[in-house]
Amino acid sequence: MYSPTILIEAMINGLLTGAIYALIALGLTLVYGVLHIINFAHGAILASAMFAVWGLNVLGGIDPYLSILFLAPVFFALGYGVQRLIIGPAAKDDDGNILLITLGLSIFIENALLAGFGSDTRSISSDFSFSVVEAGPFLISSPRLVGFAGSLVVTALLWFIMSRTDAGKAIRAVAKEKLGASLMGIDVGHVYALTFGLGCAALAVAAGLLMPTFYVNPRVGGAFVNIAFTIVVLGGMGSIPGAMIGGLLIGLVESLSGLLLGESLGQIGIFIIFILVLLLKPTGLFGAKA
């Protein structure tokens, strides 16, 4: 039997981790909400961003959090270019091509990382990685606290872009009615590329927030994308608030499952929720009916 202090600590750390999971899921749900596809390269792009954070730290001594300022615009540009130059032209013939292209992109990135870095696991270790904040009787991981704050800032920024800027209004218009938006003069191809770029930029931020406490190898993205997909289903496909709430719930469930059932069985709670959502509310907590 665990003491209330240990249980509450697990819940706090689970919520903090869940916010970073939500940030990873944001890009996935944004791309689905506008392009109406599942981006199978999502995990591989996250892994490449984590390697970029690791490389900047090892080779240049750049702090993982500071690397976000450089990597977020770089990954936005890469995502914009991939959508504009590769995915967009292929989708003109058949939308089904997009799924195959993102799957192929995932395989290409993963094998490129394997060729460049091998299969070894790498991490960034510093005194800050193991530091904690004392809040009464509770010990809270400092990197997870920073990750939580960073995720909230990015979510708020994304919400501002989507609701208060012309670019965000164009994205929402295309997501709702592509043909109508096109007739109103909106460049749908540009909006698709902008959306893909934003999703990749969110992954770069998530990579910077993860690396102080997590490891990276070429296949690490697969574990995160499984969690992200569960969050998107739980919160509702295409819903930004749903991704944040879903991420917090999944982080909480994962932490408590790991504490009560053991670290190796911590994922069981997540997939029980995944199955229950599919059975009881397939549209998710904030999803609209098809």
Side-chain angles (χ1 to χ4, degrees):
M1 181 65 71
Y2 294 97
S3 69
T5 300
I6 293 177
L7 286 172
I8 293 173
E9 267 187 9
M11 293 171 67
I12 293 172
N13 284 313
L15 290 171
L16 298 181
T17 303
I20 303 179
Y21 289 164
L23 185 56
I24 297 171
L26 270 179
L28 195 63
T29 200
L30 187 63
V31 169
Y32 178 83
V34 179
L35 278 68
H36 304 296
I37 62 163
I38 300 296
N39 176 18
F40 286 111
H42 200 70
I45 295 171
L46 174 64
S48 65
M50 293 173 75
F51 267 111
V53 173
W54 173 82
L56 288 174
N57 180 263
V58 172
L59 301 177
I62 300 175
D63 185 89
Y65 299 132
L66 287 179
S67 69
I68 292 172
L69 300 177
F70 171 73
L71 291 176
V74 168
F75 272 76
F76 171 82
L78 288 173
Y80 188 98
V82 166
Q83 167 61 33
R84 198 69 166 171
L85 300 175
I86 300 175
I87 297 177
K92 287 180 180 177
D93 298 326
D94 184 356
D95 284 348
N97 287 342
I98 301 177
L99 297 178
L100 296 177
I101 289 175
T102 60
L103 183 60
L105 190 61
S106 173
I107 295 171
F108 172 79
I109 293 173
E110 188 174 305
N111 281 281
L113 293 175
L114 275 169
F117 300 98
S119 59
D120 293 342
T121 293
R122 293 171 168 82
S123 62
I124 296 173
S125 181
S126 67
D127 292 339
F128 181 72
S129 299
F130 303 101
S131 65
V132 294
V133 174
E134 293 187 28
F138 309 114
L139 298 178
I140 302 171
S141 165
S142 299
R144 292 186 184 187
L145 202 57
V146 173
F148 178 81
S151 297
L152 291 185
V153 168
V154 173
T155 303
L157 181 61
L158 191 58
W159 174 86
F160 178 82
I161 291 173
M162 297 296 288
S163 61
R164 293 289 187 270
T165 67
D166 290 340
K169 292 173 184 175
I171 290 174
R172 286 190 289 126
V174 171
K176 192 170 184 178
E177 178 50 60
K178 183 174 72 174
L179 180 59
S182 178
L183 292 174
M184 294 300 293
I186 295 175
D187 184 343
V188 174
H190 170 68
V191 168
Y192 279 178
L194 192 62
T195 305
F196 208 86
L198 285 173
C200 291
L203 287 177
V205 177
L209 297 177
L210 276 171
M211 280 310 293
T213 56
F214 226 85
Y215 63 87
V216 60
N217 62 46
R219 294 192 171 91
V220 75
F224 284 111
V225 85
N226 287 339
I227 294 173
F229 186 69
T230 305
I231 291 170
V232 171
V233 172
L234 174 61
M237 304 290 270
S239 171
I240 293 176
M244 179 50 71
I245 299 299
L248 294 176
L249 288 174
I250 290 298
L252 184 63
V253 169
E254 182 190 50
S255 181
L256 289 177
S257 298
L259 177 67
L260 300 175
L261 302 177
E263 198 67 35
S264 60
L265 299 177
Q267 299 286 316
I268 286 181
I270 294 176
F271 290 103
I272 289 176
I273 286 184
F274 180 73
I275 292 171
L276 287 176
V277 171
L278 287 179
L279 290 174
L280 303 176
K281 199 172 190 313
T283 58
L285 298 176
F286 295 88
K289 291 183 179 179

